[in-house]
Amino acid sequence: MTLPKVGFTPESPQNFIVDSGVIVRDLTYDKSTGFTGTPIGATSGGTKVEIEIKKRLMEVDGAYITPVKGLEVVESFTAKMSSKLKEFSPETIALISGGTARAATEDEAPDGYQVIEFERQVKDGDYINSIAIYGFQRGTNKEIIVVLDNCLVTSTFGLDTKDKDEATSDLEFTAHATPEQMLVGEMPCRIFYPSTASIIATGITLNKTTLSLAAGATETLIATVAPANATNKTVTFTSSDPLVATVDNQGKITAIKAGTATIKATTANGKTATLALTVTTA
């Protein structure tokens, strides 16, 4: 085996994480409903996750020319998530500014207003049970989820406003360990990633490559996805000319009128197979 010239392979696009992701709070998982959480709000410019494991080199006499394997120890662990919030409500402003929202009294403001106030103490309720961001792996369309535990907002609240654009505010969450996590050495951050056992489709074949039908006749194609144990075997069918022949997603072709058309079968990750169809006069 020779060394590849590039890191890109035919399977590379299926392992891309697509789009900017969604930030939710209080992520939970249930076997019947899957992952659930409450969205923080619309963001702008994407989201950045930083997990830093800072190491310290222990000083040992004689080991000074080069770092020596085995002498590093973990000095600190920091997990942060940052974005720009573009959707605001009294609750989200209170969240990102470290304040609390309450209804305004009739002496403070007209009906329908809330007041956001601030305190000098950090209370236990200021920690958010979990903050998560999830995007999707292109090949499996499954969520890739980064979860931070016991988060505090550590960004400075400030509205950035300008003409012909919407206001944004920096948003940063920092994870914190509970005393119980600290005692057992558990870090307050984890990543849920689709199993590497997911097998990507490498090809597709049809039971026929050419077919002739009389107008009004039907026939169902059989598509075979390779390998046989591919995780996602979803196939969609299309006709190049629906006026000549149509095809449904079960592969059933219906000849409409005399002419030619190409019937294409496509896997979820873009592999294709085609059939050349001729429709004759009934």
Side-chain angles (χ1 to χ4, degrees):
M1 179 179 178
T2 60
L3 290 173
K5 296 184 182 298
V6 295
F8 183 87
T9 69
E11 290 74 33
S12 292
Q14 311 313 316
N15 293 313
F16 292 164
I17 302 174
V18 296
D19 297 329
S20 59
V22 180
I23 302 175
V24 299
R25 61 176 296 170
D26 303 321
L27 182 80
T28 59
Y29 173 75
D30 182 87
K31 289 182 180 179
S32 59
T33 59
F35 289 105
T36 58
T38 302
I40 293 295
T43 58
S44 175
T47 301
K48 183 177 183 180
V49 176
E50 298 175 274
I51 300 173
E52 181 184 19
I53 304 175
K54 187 176 291 185
K55 301 175 180 66
R56 174 176 61 84
L57 183 64
M58 294 184 288
E59 294 184 5
V60 177
D61 289 344
Y64 60 88
I65 297 176
T66 182
V68 178
K69 179 180 178 180
L71 289 184
E72 278 88 2
V73 293
V74 174
E75 184 176 68
S76 65
F77 178 96
T78 306
K80 296 183 178 182
M81 186 183 302
S82 57
S83 186
K84 282 187 174 292
L85 190 66
K86 204 161 192 173
E87 178 182 351
F88 298 98
S89 68
E91 291 74 23
T92 56
I93 293 176
L95 173 73
I96 64 179
S97 63
T100 56
R102 64 169 176 81
T105 67
E106 61 181 14
D107 295 326
E108 291 177 306
D111 288 343
Y113 276 81
Q114 293 197 44
V115 180
I116 300 162
E117 299 173 322
F118 308 95
E119 298 180 4
R120 60 178 298 178
Q121 303 295 331
V122 177
K123 306 184 300 298
D124 190 62
D126 293 331
Y127 293 89
I128 303 168
N129 181 54
S130 65
I131 289 289
I133 179 171
Y134 63 91
F136 291 89
Q137 185 187 49
R138 185 170 183 265
T140 63
N141 201 35
K142 292 182 178 179
E143 299 96 337
I144 298 170
I145 308 173
V146 181
V147 185
L148 276 58
D149 295 331
N150 312 302
C151 287
L152 274 180
V153 175
T154 49
S155 51
T156 300
F157 173 65
L159 285 174
D160 296 328
T161 63
K162 57 184 176 180
D163 289 340
K164 299 182 180 181
D165 202 355
E166 297 74 40
T168 61
S169 180
D170 289 337
L171 178 62
E172 180 184 82
F173 297 102
T174 300
H176 294 71
T178 63
E180 292 77 15
Q181 287 176 315
M182 181 191 67
L183 288 173
V184 297
E186 178 184 334
M187 298 297 104
C189 176
R190 58 203 168 280
I191 300 172
F192 293 96
Y193 207 92
S195 172
T196 54
S198 297
I199 299 173
I200 296 170
T202 57
I204 181 174
T205 56
L206 296 172
N207 60 321
K208 295 182 177 182
T209 56
T210 61
L211 179 64
S212 179
L213 290 175
T218 64
E219 182 155 343
T220 299
L221 293 177
I222 299 174
T224 302
V225 176
N229 61 341
T231 303
N232 189 343
K233 291 187 176 184
T234 302
V235 176
T236 56
F237 292 88
T238 56
S239 170
S240 66
D241 192 345
L243 296 178
V244 172
T246 61
V247 62
D248 64 20
N249 273 334
Q250 283 66 52
K252 181 180 178 181
I253 300 171
T254 301
I256 306 298
K257 69 174 186 177
T260 60
T262 298
I263 305 300
K264 180 187 288 186
T266 307
T267 65
N269 64 331
K271 304 298 182 181
T272 62
T274 59
L275 171 139
L277 175 68
T278 301
V279 178
T280 60
T281 304

